[in-house]
Amino acid sequence: MALWKISVKNSGYDACNDKQQWIEKGMFIETSTRSSMSPLDINRERPLLARLFMNKYGIEIDPNRMNESYFKCENVRI
C-alpha cells in the first residue's frame, strides 16, 4: 500500500456545478492506494479525491480537474 498526500498548488477559484469556490494553496488530503501509481493518474480515483476535499474542507472540486496542473501528489510512504 502507498500513502499519498495531494495538495493544492496555487490559490484560486475552482468551478464545480456552476459554483465558484476559492481553494487555497496548501490545502491537502491524504489517501492510500494499492497501486504505486499516483491517484491523480488513475481516473477512477479522482471522484474519491474530490469527496475527500469535500469532507475535509466543504468545497466541491470537479473530479475532471483533479490533475497535476492544479494539484501536487507526493508519495508519503510505500
Side-chain angles (χ1 to χ4, degrees):
M1 284 206 138
L3 180 62
W4 299 92
K5 178 180 176 183
I6 293 93
S7 55
V8 176
K9 282 186 175 181
N10 296 303
S11 299
Y13 284 101
D14 182 63
C16 183
N17 299 327
D18 297 326
K19 295 186 216 172
Q20 290 241 338
Q21 298 183 85
W22 184 258
I23 56 174
E24 192 68 42
K25 179 180 179 178
M27 288 179 165
F28 73 94
I29 50 129
E30 291 181 322
T31 189
S32 61
T33 62
R34 293 180 186 257
S35 171
S36 60
M37 286 180 57
S38 163
L40 292 176
D41 293 337
I42 304 170
N43 286 336
R44 71 178 186 276
E45 293 287 336
R46 291 178 183 175
L48 169 66
L49 302 177
R51 280 194 309 275
L52 290 172
F53 271 98
M54 172 56 109
N55 291 344
K56 186 170 183 178
Y57 297 106
I59 58 172
E60 288 184 64
I61 295 176
D62 183 353
N64 296 321
R65 293 176 53 107
M66 299 286 300
N67 60 51
E68 298 284 341
S69 297
Y70 302 102
F71 297 89
K72 178 179 175 184
C73 189
E74 300 173 77
N75 189 331
V76 178
R77 183 179 59 138
I78 295 180

